Each structure stands twice: as structure tokens, then as C-alpha cells.
Amino acid sequence: TPILGQISHNSTGKNLIVTEESGTSIAELFRLVRSNLQFATAGKENKVVLITSSTSGEGKTFFSINLAASLTLIGKKVALLELDLRMPSLFRQLGISPGIGISDYLVATDKVSIEDILRPHESVPGLFIASSGSLPPNPAELMSSDNLAQLINKLKASFDYIIIDTAPVGKVADAYSLSAHIDSTIYIVRYNYTSKHQLELIQDIYENKKFAHPMIVLND
């Protein structure tokens, strides 16, 4: 599995570290990953990028936030979706109240619109975020629903990139339901945290083409 890049330890205490003013080494590493992503997918459509990992705590949400922010710095319009419907943390990490979100849209598309769930980020122009919404009793079924496919297709018409922060594949199979809708996959491996046996998951994904264009980012 190709390695897309690496991210150093975040000692800032903040979860959003890539901004127009940021010149820290970790912010530069995110810019390098962004450039590598563009090279790695040159000539292919790469609008929908899935972010996953083996287990909780490897930094996929932190990475999703800052990859999305780095893409806005080159003029891209980005939708960041919190699609870990079991243990969402994206809005908590951003310090924003979640409110109505994706699960609410999926179960009531006649009452909830895309505009209701997508919110512009106050300090990152071009970044729109959608929370996971109410915790559903049937996350696996919602992830496989036609309504989710329609949501992604509608967003593709309005956004340059859709970054999807999902549940870790080493714990639940929810993310695999998205495989038909994504263009590339970034798998987060955290230094001194991810177990070596969990690398077999990545090998399985790569060899059996379970996700489109899988790439590894070594975090922390």
C-alpha cells in the first residue's frame, strides 16, 4: 500500500492547525500530503476521499479536519462529513455544537434538506461541515441506504472535494458500505499506537480492492 505522507506530533493543543496564517512544521506536512494526494491521483477523478483507520485514537478525525482545511487554502470548496455514526467526535474536536445532521437527513429526506445539515465553518472560508446527527439504532443500514448515495452524488455537483471521516474498519464494517461511492482512501496509522497485527487489515484492503486507491498516512 503506498505511503502518502507523514504527520508529526501535534503539540499545539489545537485540533484545527492548518490556516492561512499557519507556518508551523505540522501545517507544512499537511500541505505536503495535499500535494502528494494531487500527484497520486493525477488524471483520475478524486472528489470523494474516505478517511479511516484500524481503531479509535489514531487521529483520523484530526487528519480529516486539517486535510479539508488545507484544500480550502488552494481555493477548493470542501464538504467535510462526520460519518462515524457510532462514536462521532468531529464537531466536539472543533468545539461546535453538532445539532441536526446526516442521520437525520437519511431517515427523513422529505423533511430535512442538505442545506439544513451543511454549515459553513466560521474561520475557514470554503469549508462546509455536516455532523453525524442523532445517534441511530441502525448505523450499518443507514450507511448502506440509497439516500446516502444520493447525498454524496448531490454534494459532488456542488463541491470540489468531499472528505468523509468514518468509523475505524478494525472495529465495525460501516465504512465498507461507502466503497462504491469513493475515489480514494486514506488509512491512518499512528506511530507507537497502531498494533502491528492491524497492518494486516490494510494489506487485505489493498490486495482485495475493498476500497478505491488506498494510501497510508503515518500520524504522530
Side-chain angles (χ1 to χ4, degrees):
T1 309
I3 294 181
L4 186 65
Q6 56 187 6
I7 302 298
S8 59
H9 178 69
N10 176 25
S11 56
T12 66
K14 301 176 183 177
N15 288 310
L16 175 61
I17 55 171
V18 178
T19 62
E20 283 187 288
E21 302 80 27
S22 60
T24 61
S25 59
I26 189 168
E28 289 304 317
L29 286 169
F30 271 103
R31 292 184 175 98
L32 182 58
V33 166
R34 178 191 67 200
S35 298
N36 289 347
L37 181 64
Q38 292 175 309
F39 280 118
T41 56
K44 302 175 184 175
E45 183 174 71
N46 190 38
K47 279 200 162 192
V48 187
V49 182
L50 180 90
I51 315 294
T52 191
S53 68
S54 301
T55 189
S56 302
E58 289 169 305
K60 62 182 179 56
T61 299
F62 166 75
F63 179 84
S64 300
I65 291 167
N66 288 287
L67 176 65
S70 73
L71 288 165
T72 67
L73 296 182
I74 55 171
K76 302 300 181 183
K77 187 179 179 185
V78 182
L80 176 56
L81 308 185
E82 183 180 49
L83 263 175
D84 184 343
L85 299 183
R86 297 173 190 265
M87 295 180 64
S89 66
L90 193 153
F91 270 63
R92 176 173 53 78
Q93 290 194 28
L94 286 171
I96 304 172
S97 175
I100 194 169
I102 296 169
S103 62
D104 306 293
Y105 170 85
L106 296 179
V107 298
T109 52
D110 54 332
K111 297 177 182 177
V112 180
S113 70
I114 293 177
E115 290 73 24
D116 292 332
I117 64 172
L118 267 184
R119 285 185 270 172
H121 192 283
E122 288 184 358
S123 61
V124 184
L127 177 59
F128 293 77
I129 49 179
S131 77
S132 60
S134 308
L135 290 179
N138 58 338
E141 285 75 17
L142 280 184
M143 296 284 277
S144 304
S145 70
D146 291 339
N147 287 343
L148 181 55
Q150 291 169 11
L151 170 64
I152 292 173
N153 285 330
K154 287 177 181 177
L155 292 175
K156 285 171 74 172
S158 306
F159 288 86
D160 298 306
Y161 283 95
I162 302 159
I163 307 298
I164 302 179
D165 177 29
T166 66
V169 294
K171 287 194 166 185
V172 291
D174 296 0
Y176 290 115
S177 305
L178 296 165
S179 60
H181 313 300
I182 62 172
D183 299 312
S184 61
T185 308
I186 298 177
Y187 199 106
I188 306 298
V189 173
R190 186 172 180 180
Y191 174 76
N192 211 24
Y193 187 95
T194 305
S195 298
K196 287 181 179 178
H197 77 269
Q198 290 173 325
L199 300 182
E200 294 172 9
L201 278 169
I202 307 172
Q203 188 74 359
D204 178 52
I205 287 168
Y206 184 75
E207 289 182 350
N208 295 299
K209 298 179 169 58
K210 291 187 174 180
F211 285 127
H213 206 131
M215 296 165 282
I216 291 171
V217 166
L218 182 61
N219 187 33
D220 198 18

